């Protein structure tokens, strides 16, 4: 297994669990964490046994946003701790690209989800949150603007009015309001968060891995495509590819033989 500093990576059957692991800092985001999350998503993509990922946070928080400790020293002309490349350049594309192009990923939001801790979940495929979670796009509160692809994915997930409300106010909202505003798909009690997230991940991973990954990529590619001919063309190409794979043949054979198919062999 990879030896990471700021995250944990644990394969559990067909599911890979990624845990942001700086609990003493509410899992505040660092350049190291960013690099390790990208690497872990790539590790799961290269593992044929993995069909779905779950990302969560250690301790009380999911992710309290970027670790901006030491930035004030830079403003005073002292040598600063170098902030994330993502923050220096207005949004490294690598995190949202890794999340949207990797295998299906569920965000299990266990606590505070602020700044990049919110926006990175918008690039995940499904969001389940604890009833104790809190959310904020706090960028305006520190004189910044949304990043991590969220100016695309926040309106796509929550709708433009909700995205504008969150981005312009920087307000912290509770889990119930996050559900009403479309930031999360489901709320569960804290002690049920990981069991429910893992159960859903296992359900997804039980399906043919190449098909679920291809379906995800297809939906992300076509989400904003206005040319219907191109949409249908991409769908047709993907179906033709899937028809050549063993899992499709197994599904058809199992149907004819009146039995449950066995996928991912």
């Amino acid at each position: 297994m990879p030896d990471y500093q700021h995250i944990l990576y644990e394969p559990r059957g067909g599911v890979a669990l990624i845990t942001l692991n700086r609990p003493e800092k509410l899992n505040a985001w660092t350049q190291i964490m960013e690099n390790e999350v990208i690497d872990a998503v790539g590790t799961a993509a290269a593992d044929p046994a993995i069909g779905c990922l779950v990302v969560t946070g250690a301790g009380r928080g999911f992710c309290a946003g970027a670790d901006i400790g030491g930035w004030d020293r830079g403003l005073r002309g002292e040598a600063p701790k170098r902030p994330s490349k993502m923050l220096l350049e207005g949004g490294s594309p690598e995190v949202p690209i890794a999340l949207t192009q990797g295998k299906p990923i569920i965000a299990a939001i266990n606590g505070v989800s602020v700044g990049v801790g919110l926006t990175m979940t918008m690039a995940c495929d499904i969001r389940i949150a604890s009833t104790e979670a809190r959310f904020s796009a706090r960028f305006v509160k520190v004189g910044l603007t949304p990043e991590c692809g969220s100016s695309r994915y926040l309106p796509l997930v929550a709708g433009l009015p909700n995205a504008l409300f969150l981005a312009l106010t920087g307000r912290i909202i509770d889990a119930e309001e996050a559900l009403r505003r479309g930031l999360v798909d489901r709320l569960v009690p804290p002690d049920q968060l990981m069991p429910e997230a893992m159960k859903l991940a296992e359900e997804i991973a039980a399906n043919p891995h190449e098909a679920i990954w291809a379906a995800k990529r297809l939906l992300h590619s076509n989400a904003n495509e206005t040319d219907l001919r191109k949409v249908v063309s991409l769908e047709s190409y993907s179906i033709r590819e899937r028809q050549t794979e063993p899992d499709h043949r197994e599904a058809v054979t199992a149907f004819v033989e009146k039995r449950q198919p066995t996928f991912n062999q």
Side-chain angles (χ1 to χ4, degrees), residues 156-218:
L156 194 63
V157 170
L160 183 59
N162 287 321
L164 286 167
F165 175 87
L166 293 163
L168 300 182
T169 66
R171 183 183 296 181
I172 298 173
I173 62 173
D174 63 19
E176 290 289 346
E177 185 171 352
L179 181 64
R180 292 196 303 272
R181 291 188 179 277
L183 294 180
V184 298
D185 304 298
R186 185 181 175 192
L187 296 181
V188 296
D191 63 343
Q192 291 299 307
L193 177 63
M194 291 311 298
E196 289 297 323
M198 292 300 295
K199 180 180 178 182
L200 179 57
E202 288 163 359
E203 179 182 349
I204 293 170
N207 291 320
H209 292 175
E210 289 301 321
I212 58 175
W213 194 2
K216 168 180 171 168
R217 294 195 303 269
L218 188 65

Side-chain angles (χ1 to χ4, degrees), residues 235-256:
E235 291 172 344
S236 299
Y237 177 79
S238 183
I239 287 174
R240 289 195 299 272
E241 280 195 320
R242 305 288 80 72
Q243 287 174 331
T244 67
E245 292 172 353
D247 281 332
H248 173 68
R249 293 193 293 273
E250 166 63 10
V252 173
T253 301
F255 178 81
V256 172

Side-chain angles (χ1 to χ4, degrees), residues 16-261:
L17 175 61
I18 298 172
T19 305
L20 308 182
N21 191 38
R22 300 182 74 216
E24 73 286 356
K25 297 284 190 179
L26 292 176
N27 304 313
W29 192 266
T30 66
Q31 184 67 62
I32 292 172
M33 183 181 286
E34 178 177 313
N35 294 340
E36 290 179 349
V37 167
I38 292 169
D39 186 80
V41 172
T43 296
D47 187 344
I50 299 299
C52 189
L53 296 83
V54 173
V55 61
T56 193
R60 296 182 298 111
F62 178 74
C63 175
D67 188 343
I68 61 174
W71 285 16
D72 63 319
R73 294 192 301 158
L75 295 175
R76 295 196 303 265
E78 302 172 27
K81 295 178 183 177
R82 183 174 178 83
S84 168
K85 177 182 177 183
M86 174 169 58
L87 294 165
L88 287 171
E89 299 183 357
S92 163
E94 301 308 319
V95 174
I97 287 174
L99 295 175
T100 56
Q101 295 300 308
K103 290 179 178 177
I105 184 164
I106 298 169
I109 305 167
N110 55 302
V112 62
S113 175
V114 170
V116 67
L118 170 66
T119 57
M120 62 94 71
T121 69
M122 296 296 102
C124 295
D125 302 299
I126 299 170
R127 288 154 294 279
I128 303 176
S130 160
T131 52
E132 295 183 356
R134 298 292 181 269
F135 303 81
S136 179
R138 297 285 286 173
F139 306 103
V140 294
K141 297 295 188 182
V142 292
L144 298 176
T145 51
E147 37 67 293
C148 201
S150 62
S151 56
R152 172 179 178 177
Y153 280 101
L154 190 55
L156 194 63
V157 170
L160 183 59
N162 287 321
L164 286 167
F165 175 87
L166 293 163
L168 300 182
T169 66
R171 183 183 296 181
I172 298 173
I173 62 173
D174 63 19
E176 290 289 346
E177 185 171 352
L179 181 64
R180 292 196 303 272
R181 291 188 179 277
L183 294 180
V184 298
D185 304 298
R186 185 181 175 192
L187 296 181
V188 296
D191 63 343
Q192 291 299 307
L193 177 63
M194 291 311 298
E196 289 297 323
M198 292 300 295
K199 180 180 178 182
L200 179 57
E202 288 163 359
E203 179 182 349
I204 293 170
N207 291 320
H209 292 175
E210 289 301 321
I212 58 175
W213 194 2
K216 168 180 171 168
R217 294 195 303 269
L218 188 65
L219 287 166
H220 279 283
S221 295
N222 284 342
N224 289 317
E225 179 55 64
T226 59
D227 185 342
L228 183 58
R229 203 171 290 278
K230 183 175 180 180
V231 168
V232 175
S233 176
L234 288 171
E235 291 172 344
S236 299
Y237 177 79
S238 183
I239 287 174
R240 289 195 299 272
E241 280 195 320
R242 305 288 80 72
Q243 287 174 331
T244 67
E245 292 172 353
D247 281 332
H248 173 68
R249 293 193 293 273
E250 166 63 10
V252 173
T253 301
F255 178 81
V256 172
E257 295 177 353
K258 296 183 172 55
R259 60 174 175 80
Q260 290 296 313

